[in-house]
Amino acid sequence: MKALFEDLKKELKLRKIQLSHQRLKVLEYLTQNRSHPTVDQIFTDLHQEMSTLSKTTVYNTLRVLVEAGLVRAINIEDHETRYDINVENHGHFKCESCGRIYDFHTDLDALACDGLNNFLIKDRNVYFNGICPRCR
Amino acid sequence: MKALFEDLKKELKLRKIQLSHQRLKVLEYLTQNRSHPTVDQIFTDLHQEMSTLSKTTVYNTLRVLVEAGLVRAINIEDHETRYDINVENHGHFKCESCGRIYDFHTDLDALACDGLNNFLIKDRNVYFNGICPRCR
DNA sequence: ATAATAGTTGTAATCATTATAGATTTGCAA
DNA sequence: TTGCAAATCTATAATGATTACAACTATTAT
């Protein structure tokens, strides 16, 4: 199911998280830009139409959204965190050549993992690296 | 199979990578400290016995070892890379409470992944987050 | 309406990592 | 062995993403 802006707004209301103008804009941006943007990309784009927006606010908002479980942080790259509105079960592939990050479907719950009895698993991430078809 | 220091040395020789004193020390450290140390931990510990060691050398050495495929970089945390001498098929679990990183066995190759036809997969990482048994 | 709380902003600080340049060591040929 | 080029190491400076902070603004509750 694609996460819809209106549904996400309801979700935030339910959790008693204030729907400020800035937060809604960031959330809307993420629903419209599913290419796993960085903070800088989000900030730069939104700054065009909201000249008073602060980068700190983008950081704060993303932290709130991640904590609320509406957004997923991707650390497939060592140096810069990316954000994904899609929190469903899926993996990420990063092309070493062009840097693009692709989603792929995979069933993480089906992944057998010995040695994690009695562990409380809250979050699962699968990151692959390699070369994408366009770059081969 | 546990990676043994002597075998790793041979592997480096085969690949024509110089076995400098510093590189061997870092490699030996990793075989003896399998708790996924950070650069800072490696540097601080080795600095005790090699007072002239530079942190830059630790960074350079780790890059060489990762490129040679002898060491795996772990980016389960956003802010600091950890290093693992174990490059076999396994996943990492990070406890949100105590910060410990656990290995767990899992067969990544068996992970079905739709949408990656024609992708050249070079590396697979699985990161889980949650609470470990000690902290529950 | 007013006070208290939450959110935003801009700047400064932090901190892991990388760049750089000079010093040292190593490998190899004469 | 000697000498030289290439590789490695070291110390310091620079970079750049993220966080801390303090003042300001908006929202909520009484």
Side-chain angles (χ1 to χ4, degrees):
Chain A
M1 254 314 89
K2 258 202 178 179
L4 294 173
F5 183 51
E6 288 305 322
D7 296 336
L8 294 169
K9 264 171 76 171
K10 277 178 200 150
E11 188 63 32
L12 285 179
K13 224 173 225 162
L14 269 178
R15 293 170 191 251
K16 308 234 187 298
I17 295 172
Q18 270 187 43
L19 285 71
S20 72
H21 182 52
Q22 290 86 340
R23 286 180 179 171
L24 290 176
K25 276 296 182 185
V26 170
L27 192 59
E28 185 188 45
Y29 182 91
L30 288 172
T31 59
Q32 292 169 356
N33 297 79
R34 289 162 183 270
S35 55
H36 319 96
T38 62
V39 166
D40 202 65
Q41 287 166 343
I42 299 169
F43 171 74
T44 303
D45 288 351
L46 287 180
H47 189 71
Q48 307 283 332
E49 44 173 319
M50 299 172 70
S51 59
T52 62
L53 180 68
S54 157
K55 196 177 263 191
T56 303
T57 298
V58 178
Y59 275 104
N60 289 338
T61 299
L62 288 168
R63 184 169 33 72
V64 168
L65 295 176
V66 168
E67 280 169 5
L70 298 192
V71 168
R72 163 170 293 208
I74 306 174
N75 287 307
I76 199 169
E77 304 191 86
D78 25 3
H79 59 296
E80 206 174 4
T81 303
R82 292 171 169 274
Y83 295 88
D84 192 350
I85 195 74
N86 181 1
V87 294
E88 307 240 317
N89 231 353
H90 72 288
H92 291 110
F93 177 97
K94 182 185 173 198
C95 177
E96 292 172 359
S97 174
C98 65
R100 276 195 196 82
I101 292 177
Y102 296 84
D103 290 325
F104 63 86
H105 177 268
T106 191
D107 190 4
L108 297 182
D109 297 322
L111 193 64
C113 36
D114 299 348
L116 288 185
N117 308 326
N118 302 320
F119 282 70
L120 173 62
I121 300 172
K122 289 191 179 177
D123 199 24
R124 300 162 197 259
N125 285 290
V126 174
Y127 300 136
F128 285 7
N129 291 287
I131 308 291
C132 74
R134 295 192 223 199
C135 292
R136 289 185 79 173
Chain B
M1 258 315 90
K2 255 200 180 179
L4 293 174
F5 183 50
E6 288 305 323
D7 296 337
L8 295 167
K9 263 172 78 172
K10 278 179 202 150
E11 187 64 31
L12 285 178
K13 225 174 226 163
L14 268 178
R15 292 169 191 255
K16 308 236 188 295
I17 294 172
Q18 272 186 40
L19 285 71
S20 72
H21 182 52
Q22 290 86 342
R23 285 179 181 171
L24 289 176
K25 276 295 184 185
V26 169
L27 192 59
E28 185 188 43
Y29 183 90
L30 289 172
T31 59
Q32 293 170 352
N33 298 80
R34 289 160 184 272
S35 53
H36 318 97
T38 62
V39 167
D40 202 65
Q41 287 166 345
I42 299 168
F43 171 74
T44 303
D45 287 352
L46 288 180
H47 190 69
Q48 306 284 332
E49 44 174 319
M50 301 172 69
S51 59
T52 62
L53 180 67
S54 156
K55 196 177 263 190
T56 303
T57 299
V58 178
Y59 275 104
N60 289 340
T61 298
L62 288 167
R63 184 169 34 71
V64 169
L65 295 176
V66 167
E67 279 168 5
L70 299 192
V71 168
R72 163 170 292 206
I74 307 175
N75 288 306
I76 198 168
E77 303 191 85
D78 24 3
H79 58 297
E80 206 174 4
T81 303
R82 291 170 170 275
Y83 294 88
D84 193 350
I85 195 74
N86 180 1
V87 295
E88 307 242 317
N89 230 353
H90 71 287
H92 291 110
F93 177 97
K94 183 185 173 199
C95 177
E96 292 173 358
S97 175
C98 65
R100 276 195 197 82
I101 292 178
Y102 296 85
D103 290 326
F104 62 86
H105 178 267
T106 191
D107 189 6
L108 297 181
D109 297 321
L111 192 65
C113 35
D114 299 348
L116 288 185
N117 308 326
N118 302 319
F119 281 70
L120 174 62
I121 301 173
K122 290 190 180 178
D123 199 25
R124 301 161 195 259
N125 284 289
V126 173
Y127 299 136
F128 286 9
N129 292 287
I131 308 292
C132 75
R134 294 194 225 198
C135 293
R136 288 183 79 174

